[in-house]
C-alpha cells in the first residue's frame, strides 16, 4: 500500500499536474478559467488584480474579456492527496540520505539555507547564488566549532569547581567570625540600651522647648495675618470708592484687583499691595507688516493675502507678519487680554524694543521675545506651545478664547493665563533692561487677533 510506505515517490508528471504554474506549489483552493488551465485562487486573483479588461491566462496567454473562474473541487482533493504522498516520500528520502526532490545523494551542504542538498539542487536557480560546500567539509567545520565550545565549557566547569572549594573554605571562616560578632553585639546593645535611656530624657526636654517655640510662632502668625487682613480691607475700600466714581472718571483709571485666592499668580507677593494697571492698548501701525490690516480703532489686526502700499519705516516688520502695541513699559506691573477665538495659528506675548524687524524673527527669549502660541502642524491643530529654546509643548485642559498676559518688569517675569477662568498656561522669567512692548503674530490669511476692553 503506497500510504504505508513513506519512501514511495509519485511520478514527476503527476506531481506537476498538482502544481500551480504561478507559485510552483501544490494547488491551494484551485479554480479553472475559460481556457481550461487551473491556478490557486489567490494566484489568479493577484495576477488579474490591476487589470480592468483583457485578462490573460498566465500559462497559455489566451485573453478573456471577463474575470470568470470556477472552483475545481476534484483537483483540490487530488492535490491534497498528492501533497501528503510527496511529504511522506520526502521524509523517507531524507532518512535514507537522499534528496527528497531529486532522489540523489545528499553530498553537499548549503550554508545559506543550513541544510544538505544534492548536486542537482546545487545547479538549480534556488541554490546557484548560495555558498555550497561538500558535506564532509561542512561537518568537519561544525565539529571544530563544537569542539572549541566543548573545551570552553570544560574550562568553565573546572573554574567553577575551584571556586566552590574556595567558597566552602571562606564560608567556614565567616561562620567563626559571625559567632565572635554575635558576642560583641550583645555587649554593645547592652551599652546602647543605657545610652537610649539617657537620650530619652534629653529629647523629651527638647520637644518641650519646641512646643513652646511653636506656640510663640503661632501667636506671631496671627498678628501677621491680622495685618494682612487690615491691608486687604483697605484695598477693598479703595476699590469700592472707585466704583462709586462717575463713569468717565472710572474708565480713565480702570484697575483690577486679583486677590490672593490664587496666590501662585502673585509669585510670592502675599502681603504686597497687588493693584496693577489693566492696560488700554492700541496697535502701532508703523510696526505692522504690509500684509497686516489694522482696524480703525487700532485694536484688531487681520492677515490679508496681498501686501499693502505702506511707507518705509525703521520700526516696521518687513519679513515676519508681526505688529507691536503702541505702548511700551519700562517699569511696573501690567496686564492685557487678547481675544484669539478659533484662530488656527497665532503667537502673542511681549518683545523688547530692539527686536529684529527687517529679517526673519525667531520666537525665543534669546531674541527678545517671550511668547506662547497655537502652531498649525497638519492635522495636529491643537498644538499649543511656549517658545522657549527649544519649544515647550503645552497641554491645555480646554481651548482658550482669550489669553491674559501679565508683565512684571521689576519682578522679571511674563505670565500667560486663560482669561476666561484664569487657569495658568506658562510663565517666563527674564531680566529686562529696555522697554517691553506687547507682541502679536499671525500666519493664515483671514486670521485675526483683537485686544479686549
Amino acid at each position: 500500500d503506497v500510504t504505508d510506505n513513506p519512501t514511495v515517490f509519485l511520478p514527476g508528471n503527476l506531481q506537476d499536474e498538482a502544481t500551480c504554474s504561478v507559485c510552483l506549489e501544490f494547488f491551494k483552493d484551485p479554480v479553472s478559467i475559460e481556457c481550461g488551465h487551473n491556478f490557486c485562487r489567490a494566484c489568479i486573483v493577484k495576477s488579474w488584480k490591476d487589470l480592468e479588461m483583457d485578462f490573460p491566462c498566465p500559462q497559455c496567454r489566451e485573453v478573456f474579456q471577463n474575470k470568470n473562474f470556477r472552483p475545481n473541487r476534484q483537483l483540490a482533493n487530488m492535490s491534497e492527496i498528492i501533497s501528503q504522498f510527496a511529504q511522506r516520500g520526502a521524509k523517507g528520502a531524507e532518512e535514507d540520505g537522499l534528496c527528497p526532490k531529486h532522489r540523489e545523494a545528499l553530498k553537499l551542504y548549503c550554508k545559506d539555507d543550513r541544510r544538505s542538498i544534492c548536486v542537482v539542487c546545487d545547479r538549480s536557480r534556488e541554490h546557484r547564488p548560495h555558498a555550497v560546500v561538500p558535506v564532509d567539509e561542512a561537518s568537519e567545520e561544525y565539529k571544530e566549532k563544537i569542539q572549541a565550545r566543548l573545551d570552553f565549557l570544560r574550562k568553565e566547569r573546572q573554574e567553577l569547581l575551584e571556586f566552590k572549594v574556595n567558597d566552602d573554605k571562606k564560608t567556614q571562616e565567616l561562620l567563626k567570625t559571625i559567632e565572635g560578632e554575635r558576642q560583641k553585639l550583645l555587649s554593645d546593645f547592652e551599652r546602647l540600651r543605657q545610652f537610649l535611656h539617657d537620650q530619652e530624657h534629653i529629647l523629651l526636654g527638647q520637644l518641650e522647648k519646641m512646643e513652646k517655640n511653636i506656640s510663640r510662632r503661632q501667636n506671631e502668625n496671627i498678628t501677621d495675618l491680622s495685618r494682612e487682613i487690615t491691608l486687604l480691607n483697605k484695598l477693598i475700600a479703595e476699590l469700592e470708592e472707585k466704583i462709586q466714581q462717575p463713569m468717565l472718571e472710572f474708565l480713565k483709571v480702570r484697575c483690577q484687583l486679583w486677590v490672593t485666592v490664587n496666590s501662585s499668580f502673585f509669585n510670592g507677593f502675599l502681603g504686597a499691595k497687588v493693584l496693577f494697571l489693566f492696560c488700554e492698548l492700541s496697535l502701532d501701525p508703523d510696526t505692522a507688516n504690509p500684509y497686516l490690516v489694522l482696524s480703525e480703532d487700532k485694536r484688531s489686526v487681520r492677515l490679508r493675502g496681498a501686501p499693502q502700499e505702506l511707507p518705509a519705516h525703521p520700526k516696521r516688520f518687513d519679513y515676519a507678519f508681526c505688529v507691536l502695541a503702541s505702548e511700551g513699559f519700562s517699569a511696573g506691573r501690567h496686564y492685557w487680554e487678547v481675544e484669539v477665538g478659533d484662530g488656527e495659528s497665532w503667537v502673542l506675548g511681549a518683545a523688547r524694543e530692539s527686536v529684529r524687524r527687517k529679517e526673519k524673527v525667531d520666537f525665543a527669549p534669546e531674541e527678545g521675545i517671550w511668547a506662547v502660541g497655537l502652531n498649525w502642524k497638519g492635522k495636529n491643530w491643537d498644538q499649543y506651545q511656549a517658545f522657549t529654546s527649544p519649544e515647550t509643548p503645552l497641554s491645555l485642559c480646554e481651548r482658550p478664547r482669550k489669553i491674559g498676559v501679565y508683565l512684571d518688569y521689576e519682578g522679571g517675569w511674563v505670565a500667560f493665563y486663560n482669561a476666561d477662568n484664569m487657569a495658568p498656561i506658562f510663565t517666563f522669567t527674564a531680566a529686562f533692561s529696555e522697554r517691553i512692548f506687547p507682541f502679536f503674530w499671525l500666519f493664515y490669511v483671514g486670521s485675526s487677533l483683537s485686544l479686549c476692553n
Side-chain angles (χ1 to χ4, degrees):
D1 187 349
V2 69
T3 60
D4 296 332
N5 186 359
T7 61
V8 172
F9 275 76
L10 298 168
N13 56 353
L14 181 57
Q15 186 168 342
D16 292 340
E17 289 299 324
T19 302
C20 175
S21 60
V22 176
C23 64
L24 302 181
E25 300 288 344
F26 286 114
F27 284 114
K28 296 177 181 177
D29 190 14
V31 294
S32 299
I33 62 176
E34 294 183 17
C35 63
H37 288 119
N38 301 294
F39 306 94
C40 298
R41 181 185 292 271
C43 293
I44 193 64
V45 168
K46 182 178 180 180
S47 178
W48 289 350
K49 178 180 179 181
D50 298 325
L51 301 178
E52 297 182 358
M53 58 181 297
D54 295 340
F55 305 101
C57 171
Q59 189 166 343
C60 67
R61 312 310 296 177
E62 182 177 349
V63 178
F64 311 105
Q65 297 303 315
N66 298 309
K67 294 182 179 180
N68 292 328
F69 50 78
R70 61 182 182 277
N72 192 333
R73 295 182 177 83
Q74 291 81 5
L75 180 58
N77 295 334
M78 183 183 73
S79 178
E80 178 64 24
I81 294 172
I82 292 174
S83 174
Q84 293 176 4
F85 286 163
Q87 291 175 2
R88 293 171 181 170
K91 181 178 180 182
E94 290 181 351
E95 292 175 354
D96 295 338
L98 299 178
C99 175
K101 187 174 183 180
H102 304 107
R103 298 292 293 173
E104 295 288 339
L106 299 172
K107 296 182 178 181
L108 301 175
Y109 182 78
C110 177
K111 289 187 174 181
D112 292 358
D113 292 339
R114 296 184 178 181
R115 64 185 181 90
S116 300
I117 61 174
C118 68
V119 292
V120 180
C121 294
D122 182 36
R123 302 295 297 173
S124 66
R125 185 189 308 172
E126 178 184 1
H127 295 281
R128 193 174 302 161
H130 294 180
V132 177
V133 297
V135 170
D136 55 352
E137 183 179 329
S139 176
E140 189 63 30
E141 180 181 342
Y142 284 111
K143 283 182 179 179
E144 291 176 358
K145 292 181 179 180
I146 292 174
Q147 185 62 46
R149 183 61 180 173
L150 183 60
D151 293 341
F152 175 78
L153 293 176
R154 286 172 176 167
K155 182 179 179 181
E156 287 285 312
R157 182 181 63 181
Q158 182 61 32
E159 291 177 354
L160 289 174
L161 289 172
E162 294 175 358
F163 177 80
K164 180 178 179 299
V165 172
N166 293 333
D167 187 65
D168 290 341
K169 182 178 179 180
K170 291 180 180 179
T171 299
Q172 296 300 322
E173 294 175 353
L174 285 174
L175 289 174
K176 293 180 180 179
T177 303
I178 288 172
E179 182 59 29
E181 290 295 325
R182 178 182 290 107
Q183 298 301 323
K184 180 181 178 182
L185 192 61
L186 292 173
S187 176
D188 290 343
F189 266 94
E190 182 60 32
R191 291 193 297 270
L192 182 59
R193 277 189 286 270
Q194 183 60 43
F195 171 78
L196 291 175
H197 183 267
D198 297 338
Q199 288 295 312
E200 178 183 5
H201 292 285
I202 296 174
L203 293 176
L204 286 175
Q206 292 177 350
L207 288 175
E208 184 178 356
K209 184 178 180 181
M210 290 173 62
E211 185 177 4
K212 292 180 180 179
N213 289 335
I214 290 174
S215 298
R216 178 179 53 80
R217 290 179 183 177
Q218 182 181 16
N219 294 331
E220 293 175 354
N221 290 338
I222 291 175
T223 303
D224 293 339
L225 289 174
S226 299
R227 188 183 305 114
E228 299 293 342
I229 292 172
T230 302
L231 176 61
L232 288 176
N233 288 335
K234 181 179 179 181
L235 290 175
I236 292 172
E238 291 179 5
L239 287 180
E240 289 176 345
E241 180 181 352
K242 291 182 182 296
I243 290 176
Q244 302 303 322
Q245 291 180 355
M247 183 181 299
L248 294 179
E249 291 296 324
F250 176 72
L251 292 177
K252 288 180 181 179
V253 293
R254 184 164 65 118
C255 298
Q256 183 167 334
L257 174 67
W258 288 16
V259 296
T260 56
V261 173
N262 184 2
S263 61
S264 61
F265 175 80
F266 299 112
N267 197 24
F269 291 117
L270 183 63
K273 188 174 181 181
V274 191
L275 191 65
F276 59 87
L277 183 63
F278 192 109
C279 304
E280 291 285 355
L281 299 179
S282 61
L283 301 175
D284 186 354
D286 291 337
T287 66
N289 181 275
Y291 282 84
L292 297 179
V293 180
L294 305 186
S295 61
E296 291 186 5
D297 60 1
K298 304 297 187 294
R299 294 184 61 78
S300 296
V301 58
R302 178 176 56 85
L303 181 63
R304 55 181 282 169
Q308 308 169 84
E309 291 292 337
L310 298 177
H313 198 284
K315 296 196 300 181
R316 191 177 309 284
F317 288 91
D318 293 335
Y319 187 91
F321 301 144
C322 301
V323 63
L324 299 180
S326 300
E327 297 78 5
F329 311 110
S330 57
R333 301 173 187 162
H334 308 273
Y335 177 79
W336 63 93
E337 292 180 355
V338 183
E339 184 173 350
V340 298
D342 296 323
E344 295 176 340
S345 190
W346 49 263
V347 175
L348 59 88
R352 63 190 178 198
E353 187 173 17
S354 62
V355 67
R356 289 187 292 180
R357 306 173 189 232
K358 305 301 180 183
E359 54 190 287
K360 181 179 179 182
V361 178
D362 294 326
F363 304 146
E366 294 81 3
E367 297 295 327
I369 296 177
W370 300 268
V372 299
L374 174 61
N375 195 17
W376 177 271
K377 291 186 178 179
K379 295 182 179 179
N380 192 12
W381 58 270
D382 253 345
Q383 182 56 66
Y384 293 90
Q385 56 188 357
F387 290 93
T388 54
S389 298
E391 292 88 352
T392 301
L394 302 174
S395 299
L396 305 185
C397 297
E398 58 181 292
R399 187 182 181 93
R401 301 188 62 83
K402 288 194 301 182
I403 302 295
V405 185
Y406 179 74
L407 167 67
D408 186 339
Y409 194 96
E410 287 79 10
W413 52 289
V414 181
F416 297 86
Y417 299 84
N418 182 337
D420 292 327
N421 56 18
M422 294 318 299
I425 295 176
F426 193 81
T427 299
F428 289 90
T429 58
F432 304 121
S433 59
E434 57 183 279
R435 280 206 300 172
I436 303 299
F437 288 81
F439 170 85
F440 310 89
W441 175 88
L442 292 170
F443 183 74
Y444 283 102
V445 174
S447 59
S448 63
L449 294 173
S450 300
L451 291 166
C452 300
N453 293 325

